[in-house]
Amino acid sequence: MTTTDQAEKKNLETFLAEIDQELSKVRPYHGWDFKRSGSEIHHCREPVCSLFRVKAIASAEDHSDTSFIIEVLTPKGTLQEAIVPNGLLIENASKAIAIMGKRGGKMRADPKVIKHLILDWPTRAPQTLATHLGWHNRDFFVLATGEVLTAPEYRGGVVYSEKATAQASGSLEGWKDGIGRLAIGNPYLIFVCSAAFAGAILPFIPNAQSFGVHLFLGTSTGKSKLLQAAESVWPRSLTKKLKTWRSTGNALEGQMVEANNTILCMDELPKSQKSFSLADVIYMLGNEAGKGRATKEGNATSRASWKTIMLSTGEDSMLQTLEWSGEKMRGGIEVRMLDVPIEARFGAFDCLHELPDGRTFADRIGTEANTNFGHAGPAFVSQLLKNPQVFDRMATRVSELEPELLKELGPQERVASEIPRIIRQFAVIAYAGTLATQAGVTGWKEEDILPSMQHVVRQWFAARDGAMSSDLRTVVKSIQRYVHALQSEERFPLNRAKEAKGPKVFEDENFFYFLKTPFIDAIDGVAKATACKELKEAGLLIPPKEDGDMTRISDKDRSRTYKIAKSILDR
C-alpha cells in the first residue's frame, strides 16, 4: 500500500467515525432521528442520501459568500469535497444539493430533508473561504492544488472555494538537481525561473504592475523548453502541453486569473493574429482586470483581477507581430510587454553541462520539467511567510538593483523616458531570483543571478532602439503608414502650393508639411500634444521660431502646417 493509499484509508476511517458522532447531534426531522446504515444516511428507516459530513462553515474575508464545506463519499469509496453556498441552499435546495451530486453523492430523499440535515449539522469554528488564488494580505497563499500555505501566526482554517486545477510531481530536491542545476550558466533559464518566482513578490513592490516578457528566436531550439522550466516552479496540470496564443481573448483572461501571483506562460505566438486583438490582451494584462460582465438578470458581476507576469515565446518580436496583424500601435505597449531576442550558443542555451548538443539539452529540460514540478514556488512562499520582515525590505532591495541593470544601457542621455520603469520590472525579476536563492530554493549561487539579468537587459535594449520612447515609436510608425498610403495627388510640391487643390501633405526635398487635419489623421489617435512633444524632442518636428508647433508656408488662411523631417521614414 502506497503512502497516498494509507492516507486515504486513514481519512476514510476518520470520516466514518466523525459521521457517527455528529449525526447523533442533528435535531430530529418530523420526529425521526437520522442514522447511518452502511454507506447511506437513513431517516424514517428510508434512505436519504449517500454518506456525507459538513466539515465546516466558511465565509470570505469580508464575511460574505458563506458556504458549507462538505465531504462526500463517492461510489468508489473515495472522499470528494463539495462547497455548497448557504444562499443557494436557502433559495433553491435542489440546485445546492446537485453540487454534492456532481462530486459523487447520491441524493434520494426530498431536498427539504437534506437541507435540514446540512443546516443543522454540528460544525466547529467558522473558517475563511478563499475565493481567489495567490496572496490574501500576508496571512496565507492559496495554491492551484487547493492547498493553503499560512503564516505561522495565522489562526484559523482556510478553504479554497474553487476546484483544484493543478498538481505537483516529484520533489523540491529533484527540481533543484534538475532544472535548478541545468540553469546555471544559462542566462535565459535563470531569467525565466526568476520571473516565475517574481509573481509572488509583485504585490509587495510599490507601483509594480503586471507585465509580460516575449522571448523570440527564429529557430526552434529551446524557446518552449524555457517556458516549461518556468512553469515547473509552480503546480500545474498534468498535461505536458503548454498554453498557446491560439486561445481566445476570453480564455486568456481566465488564464491570467489562474496565474495570479505566479506565472503565465504562452507559447507559439503566430506571425499574425486575427482572431482577437493582441494589443487588447497586453493592455488587459497590465490593467490587471478583466471585462465587466452581467448576469442573466442584468446585475453586474465582480470583475476578474490578477497580478502576474506573463512569459511568451515566438519566432518574431511582439511589435513585429502586432504590425503584421494590422493592429494600431498604442503608447505603453512596450512597457507592458518587453521584447527580448534570444542570443545564445546553442539555441536558447549557452552551457550544456554534460550533454552533447543543444537538442539533447533541450529535451533534458523538458524531461526534468515534467518530472519534478510544483515544489519550488510553494517552498519560496513558505519561506516568505516564515520571515515576514522580508516584505518590508523588498522595495528597497529592488531599488538597489536598478542601477546595476541601468548601467548596462550606456550613456543615460540616450535613454527614453520610460526606460527606468522597465528597468524596475527587470529588477523585480532579479530580486525574486536572489531571494529564492537565499531561501535555499534554487540551488544557485547569488552571483549567478545578476550577470544573467544584465545579459537579458542588454539584449532587450539593443533590440528596441532604446533612445526611442514607445510613444515616439507609435507616432513614427503611424506617420510612416500614412505617408506610404497617400495617393500621388495628395502629396504636392511646396513650391507649387498656390496651385494645390485639396492636398493633404506638401513636401520639399527634406520635409513634409502636414495640414492640421491630415496631421491628426496621421498620428492615428495619439494625443496631438504628446505627438508634438515626442517628435520635437527627436528632432523630427521642426517648430517655427515663434511660439507653437505649426509653421506658416504662405499667406493663405490654411497655410499653417506641421513641418516633419523626411528622415522619419528611415526610423
Side-chain angles (χ1 to χ4, degrees):
M1 183 178 291
T2 66
T3 303
T4 302
D5 291 337
Q6 291 174 344
E8 289 180 353
K9 181 181 179 183
K10 185 176 180 180
N11 288 341
L12 184 58
E13 290 172 352
T14 303
F15 170 82
L16 295 173
E18 294 282 358
I19 281 184
D20 290 334
Q21 293 180 18
E22 293 167 357
L23 264 180
S24 64
K25 299 176 182 178
V26 176
R27 287 180 302 140
Y29 184 74
H30 290 179
W32 290 84
D33 290 332
F34 292 93
K35 303 286 185 181
R36 177 165 79 90
S37 178
S39 60
E40 294 180 322
I41 295 175
H42 282 216
H43 179 257
C44 300
R45 300 190 184 93
E46 295 294 327
V48 173
C49 57
S50 57
L51 294 181
F52 76 84
R53 65 178 290 264
V54 180
K55 278 178 61 177
I57 298 176
S59 300
E61 290 151 286
D62 62 357
H63 306 295
S64 63
D65 297 326
T66 299
S67 298
F68 295 93
I69 315 302
I70 298 176
E71 280 184 317
V72 176
L73 183 66
T74 71
K76 294 182 178 180
T78 60
L79 296 176
Q80 292 288 323
E81 198 169 88
I83 297 178
V84 177
N86 180 54
L88 182 62
L89 183 65
I90 292 171
E91 292 176 4
N92 192 324
S94 295
K95 282 189 175 180
I97 292 164
I99 296 173
M100 297 165 63
K102 290 177 181 178
R103 304 301 285 164
K106 291 184 177 180
M107 307 296 132
R108 301 179 184 276
D110 187 314
K112 292 179 181 179
V113 179
I114 302 173
K115 174 182 174 181
H116 170 88
L117 192 55
I118 294 171
L119 290 173
D120 209 58
W121 198 283
T123 56
R124 299 181 178 86
Q127 297 192 10
T128 298
L129 186 69
T131 55
H132 65 81
L133 295 170
W135 288 105
H136 293 250
N137 298 316
R138 300 180 187 178
D139 296 326
F140 56 88
F141 188 104
V142 182
L143 299 168
T145 57
E147 181 184 0
V148 180
L149 307 175
T150 58
E153 68 278 6
Y154 185 78
R155 298 292 178 265
V158 182
V159 180
Y160 180 44
S161 64
E162 304 295 329
K163 183 180 178 181
T165 58
Q167 296 184 23
S169 175
S171 66
L172 175 60
E173 289 305 314
W175 185 87
K176 288 165 65 175
D177 190 52
I179 296 296
R181 181 179 66 85
L182 296 174
I184 297 170
N186 286 296
Y188 296 102
L189 274 172
I190 286 181
F191 176 79
V192 297
C193 290
S194 296
F197 290 118
I201 69 169
L202 204 58
F204 308 105
I205 310 298
N207 303 316
Q209 292 179 295
S210 299
F211 65 96
V213 180
H214 178 66
L215 299 153
F216 62 98
L217 177 67
T219 65
S220 60
T221 305
K223 296 190 300 291
S224 298
K225 303 305 179 184
L226 292 175
L227 297 189
Q228 284 184 279
E231 274 201 344
S232 72
V233 169
W234 296 97
R236 61 168 177 77
S237 65
L238 288 178
T239 176
K240 296 180 181 180
K241 292 184 178 180
L242 289 163
K243 301 178 184 71
T244 73
W245 279 104
R246 302 180 193 281
S247 306
T248 65
N250 288 340
L252 284 166
E253 179 180 324
Q255 289 162 358
M256 290 176 195
V257 172
E258 290 181 2
N260 185 48
N261 303 158
T262 58
I263 191 76
L264 174 59
C265 295
M266 302 298 299
D267 199 19
E268 298 179 3
L269 181 70
K271 285 188 176 293
S272 66
Q273 172 60 262
K274 301 296 185 182
S275 60
F276 60 88
S277 168
L278 277 174
D280 286 350
V281 169
I282 294 169
Y283 268 85
M284 182 170 67
L285 171 68
N287 292 340
E288 301 180 339
K291 302 172 184 176
R293 294 184 173 85
T295 64
K296 292 180 180 179
E297 293 76 27
N299 299 318
T301 60
S302 58
R303 296 178 71 187
S305 62
W306 54 80
K307 189 175 281 289
T308 191
I309 292 174
M310 176 190 287
L311 291 177
S312 167
T313 60
E315 293 187 0
D316 304 291
S317 72
M318 183 66 73
L319 287 182
Q320 186 68 73
T321 301
L322 285 165
E323 188 170 334
W324 284 339
S325 300
E327 296 208 39
K328 184 172 75 174
M329 294 297 295
R330 288 180 271 173
I333 284 283
E334 293 172 86
V335 177
R336 291 166 173 81
M337 181 63 72
L338 314 181
D339 265 329
V340 176
I342 296 173
E343 185 173 310
R345 294 174 61 199
F346 308 101
F349 313 110
D350 284 306
C351 177
L352 301 182
H353 293 267
E354 70 280 5
L355 298 169
D357 54 59
R359 174 59 61 189
T360 304
F361 185 84
D363 290 343
R364 178 69 173 275
I365 291 292
T367 299
E368 293 291 346
N370 286 321
T371 302
N372 295 286
F373 60 84
H375 299 282
F380 178 52
V381 168
S382 294
Q383 288 300 312
L384 294 177
L385 288 165
K386 291 175 184 176
N387 299 279
Q389 68 277 7
V390 172
F391 292 108
D392 299 322
R393 298 198 298 262
M394 285 183 179
T396 300
R397 296 291 184 264
V398 168
S399 297
E400 290 170 351
L401 282 167
E402 290 174 28
E404 296 298 318
L405 299 175
L406 200 55
K407 71 182 183 183
E408 298 298 310
L409 311 187
Q412 297 304 295
E413 61 270 15
R414 63 182 284 262
V415 169
S417 58
E418 74 265 21
I419 296 298
R421 177 180 168 187
I422 296 173
I423 288 296
R424 187 167 181 80
Q425 294 170 332
F426 281 116
V428 170
I429 293 175
Y431 180 59
T434 301
L435 200 55
T437 299
Q438 291 171 345
V441 173
T442 65
W444 308 333
K445 295 178 181 178
E446 285 186 50
E447 53 265 32
D448 294 332
I449 300 164
L450 185 57
S452 297
M453 299 299 146
Q454 289 170 327
H455 173 80
V456 172
V457 166
R458 287 193 298 270
Q459 294 300 110
W460 157 77
F461 190 69
R464 82 178 298 276
D465 181 5
M468 188 185 288
S469 71
S470 59
D471 282 335
L472 176 59
R473 195 187 314 276
T474 299
V475 172
V476 167
K477 291 291 186 184
S478 296
I479 291 176
Q480 288 173 345
R481 285 195 299 271
Y482 184 85
V483 170
H484 289 315
L486 288 173
Q487 302 297 317
S488 58
E489 65 271 16
E490 294 174 323
R491 294 171 60 167
F492 210 83
L494 180 64
N495 60 5
R496 295 170 53 198
K498 293 182 180 180
E499 305 172 25
K501 294 181 180 180
K504 292 185 176 180
V505 176
F506 297 104
E507 63 181 317
D508 58 23
E509 185 178 354
N510 297 311
F511 298 99
F512 294 115
Y513 299 83
F514 284 79
L515 296 169
K516 183 177 180 180
T517 298
F519 180 74
I520 292 173
D521 291 340
I523 61 177
D524 198 17
V526 177
K528 182 159 64 71
T530 300
C532 290
K533 173 179 176 294
E534 293 289 342
L535 290 168
K536 281 192 292 186
E537 289 179 356
L540 296 172
L541 170 60
I542 313 302
K545 292 180 180 179
E546 63 270 19
D547 290 339
D549 297 319
M550 302 184 75
T551 298
R552 187 178 296 277
I553 58 171
S554 76
D555 295 330
K556 289 185 177 181
D557 291 340
R558 63 172 193 173
S559 64
R560 294 173 64 80
T561 63
Y562 293 92
K563 185 177 179 180
I564 305 293
K566 282 191 170 180
S567 61
I568 195 171
L569 299 181
D570 302 321
R571 294 297 291 266

